[in-house]
Amino acid sequence: MGTTTVVSFTTVFATERWLRHRGTIARNTSRFQKILSTLAIVFAVIGMIGLIILTCRNNIYYSTTHDACLVVFM
């Protein structure tokens, strides 16, 4: 369920960016907003990868990997 949640969460960021680009919802008013939107997608993907690995590796056998992915996700 963690993987499903984080994939859905990341998809929302990408969909929001796409809808703004199409003009379906309010367009970005500045280049700074466009950059922030793109960075939000990039960091959401990085967090998604961290959470997927975090849910695959348990804390008993892979404690270092688990802790590293926890930091990446946060």
Side-chain angles (χ1 to χ4, degrees), residues 38-52:
T38 304
L39 285 174
I41 294 170
V42 168
F43 286 120
V45 169
I46 292 170
M48 176 179 69
I49 292 168
L51 187 62
I52 289 171

Side-chain angles (χ1 to χ4, degrees), residues 49-65:
I49 292 168
L51 187 62
I52 289 171
I53 296 171
L54 178 69
T55 57
C56 293
R57 303 290 183 190
N58 64 15
N59 199 19
I60 297 170
Y61 300 116
Y62 303 101
S63 63
T64 305
T65 305

Side-chain angles (χ1 to χ4, degrees), residues 23-51:
T24 306
I25 59 177
R27 291 187 179 267
N28 292 324
T29 58
S30 67
R31 182 178 298 268
F32 185 66
Q33 287 180 350
K34 191 179 290 187
I35 292 169
L36 287 179
S37 177
T38 304
L39 285 174
I41 294 170
V42 168
F43 286 120
V45 169
I46 292 170
M48 176 179 69
I49 292 168
L51 187 62

